[in-house]
Amino acid sequence: MSRLLSKPNLLTNIFRSKRYTSISASAMASSQQTPTTGDASPAPKQSVKTAILMMNMGGPESEKVEDVQKFLLALFSDRDIIQMPFQGFLGPLISKRRAPNLKAKFDEIGGDPLLKWTQTQGSGITEQLDKISPTSAPHKAYACFRYSKPDIEHAVEQLEQDGAERVVILSKYPQYSCSTTGSNLNDIARYCVDVKSHMTEKPKQKWSLIDRWPLSSAVVDVYAERIDTELKKLPENVRDETILLFSAHSIPIWMVERGDDYTGEIGATVQAVLDKLGRRKNPYSLVWQSKVGPVAWQGPPIEKAIEGYVENGHKHFMVIPIAFVNEHIETLHELDIEYAKDLKEKVKFETFVRVPTLNDHPLFLEGMAKLIKDHLDSGETIGPQMRRRCPGCKKDNCQRTRSWLARLDLVNKEFSD
């Protein structure tokens, strides 16, 4: 989640700053919420063969303050992300207090664009899949959110109505974390075990999982291209002096020490992007954003990094949201307003360019389609990292998820026989 205590500002004020402060036009695309049933790709003319569950944490179902509060309550009640004493009491209290502030931020950016982007990406990916993988076609994508609708119950209801034979759970997070993909999977496992009886009855569909893709061309090639494009727009005397700040959503230190894969996979993506860029003179740094609560989180925070660099004489920055696949509040507000404008007025640097996220870039859609096709062709149910838990994990719900995945693997072998 983005920082929820910043003062509201008009989005248009971003463009009033001097020198080379900029946010790419494609990063500022319309972000209006679109009413939907949650299907992320158009209904095919025949029964669906392969369903793609587009797994994400989700956002408020509307910009009404009560829906924003409902979303925050789900977030602050999720112990896969936030652990605090008296959580049953403090969660509702914090959610109620922060809801108006978060609503104001959504109002500034024109609403939460997450569902719209999920639909757009799902449609583009399945269109590509139908072309390159006719044996598993027709494909259809379904939004599957953790904290809001359309949730796993809605997605399964829809794919069963569509007659899907195969279900691929696709994490929209390139890098795995227990706080994102893990939390989503725990919720999906709960539903599939408690409601659909997957542990005792054979599922109606063949299920499998793509839990991470930190080195996929879908993320590496597109971000490398976007960085190169934005650097070329800068004046020559600024270009080589610009520091590349790869920004990712932070996680609590206790999660890192428990053995979460996330920080290592973020670093792997960054290095792969730099390798793709080739020989460049730009220095770079990995920074972190969106800290929530009083506990220690992975650092350095992006604002502290920029302040430190400015004190050391650096004035030009390009921010790459390396963990994000589409625009949402943490890019459109936290990066584009709280840092591009508010922090710039305080710290007095000269250049702030924010690279657009992956969105509906053709190479992203093609790369994701190839990722899914390769997964389908492999016959794999789960990847090797999902066959174990973090070394410090003692959580029952994580163990249940692993048991459910192992059960799916066994059942899929029966499907193949």
Side-chain angles (χ1 to χ4, degrees), residues 323-339:
F324 302 122
V325 300
N326 56 256
E327 305 298 346
H328 62 316
I329 194 168
E330 287 155 336
T331 57
L332 297 174
H333 197 285
E334 185 175 3
L335 294 180
D336 293 356
I337 296 179
E338 295 175 37
Y339 301 136

Side-chain angles (χ1 to χ4, degrees), residues 301-413:
I302 182 174
E303 67 273 24
K304 296 297 183 183
I306 291 175
E307 290 173 2
Y309 278 129
V310 172
E311 288 178 2
N312 291 336
H314 300 282
K315 300 179 181 180
H316 311 290
F317 305 100
M318 179 174 291
V319 177
I320 304 100
I322 196 66
F324 302 122
V325 300
N326 56 256
E327 305 298 346
H328 62 316
I329 194 168
E330 287 155 336
T331 57
L332 297 174
H333 197 285
E334 185 175 3
L335 294 180
D336 293 356
I337 296 179
E338 295 175 37
Y339 301 136
K341 180 181 182 298
D342 296 351
L343 185 64
K344 183 176 186 296
E345 291 178 353
K346 173 185 174 184
V347 180
K348 307 301 182 185
F349 50 84
E350 295 181 8
T351 304
F352 187 105
V353 176
R354 201 268 289 173
V355 172
T357 55
L358 306 174
N359 297 331
D360 56 351
H361 192 293
L363 290 179
F364 171 69
L365 301 179
E366 292 172 10
M368 292 306 296
K370 182 179 184 303
L371 176 75
I372 297 169
K373 180 183 185 302
D374 290 347
H375 170 78
L376 291 169
D377 291 346
S378 74
E380 183 179 73
T381 301
I382 55 176
Q385 289 297 87
M386 297 307 297
R387 299 182 187 279
R388 72 1 161 213
R389 292 188 287 166
C390 295
C393 180
K394 308 296 183 184
K395 299 174 65 175
D396 292 340
N397 59 345
C398 291
Q399 179 56 53
R400 178 171 68 170
T401 297
R402 290 340 186 253
S403 297
W404 170 65
L405 291 172
R407 162 73 174 166
L408 293 180
D409 196 25
L410 179 63
V411 169
N412 287 349
K413 292 177 181 178

Side-chain angles (χ1 to χ4, degrees), residues 17 75 176 200 220 307 351:
S17 53
L75 169 68
Y176 180 92
T200 56
V220 173
E307 290 173 2
T351 304

Side-chain angles (χ1 to χ4, degrees), residues 21 26 41 66 82 84 143 156 182 229 246 255 269 299 329 351 400:
T21 301
S26 57
S41 57
E66 54 267 31
I82 298 172
M84 55 186 172
V156 170
T229 298
F246 291 88
M255 196 174 292
T269 304
I329 194 168
T351 304
R400 178 171 68 170

Side-chain angles (χ1 to χ4, degrees), residues 8-9 28 52 78 82 114 142 271 332 337 358 381 390:
N9 297 279
M28 298 295 297
I52 312 297
D78 185 356
I82 298 172
L114 182 58
Y142 303 79
Q271 192 57 56
L332 297 174
I337 296 179
L358 306 174
T381 301
C390 295

Side-chain angles (χ1 to χ4, degrees), residues 211-245:
D211 59 292
R212 68 196 74 200
W213 34 283
L215 300 180
S216 168
S217 63
V219 58
V220 173
D221 290 5
V222 179
Y223 268 126
E225 179 186 288
R226 290 208 185 281
I227 293 168
D228 185 64
T229 298
E230 297 302 322
L231 283 172
K232 288 177 180 177
K233 295 178 183 178
L234 295 175
E236 290 186 12
N237 64 322
V238 169
R239 189 177 304 150
D240 291 343
E241 300 299 320
T242 298
I243 297 179
L244 305 181
L245 297 178

Side-chain angles (χ1 to χ4, degrees), residues 251-258 295-299:
I251 60 174
I253 289 297
W254 63 261
M255 196 174 292
V256 178
E257 294 179 343
R258 191 177 64 187
V295 300
W297 285 56
Q298 176 68 51

Side-chain angles (χ1 to χ4, degrees), residues 136-157:
S136 58
H139 306 82
K140 184 176 178 181
Y142 303 79
C144 181
F145 292 160
R146 174 71 171 90
Y147 298 143
S148 57
K149 296 185 183 305
D151 56 11
I152 179 60
E153 181 177 2
H154 178 275
V156 170
E157 178 181 306

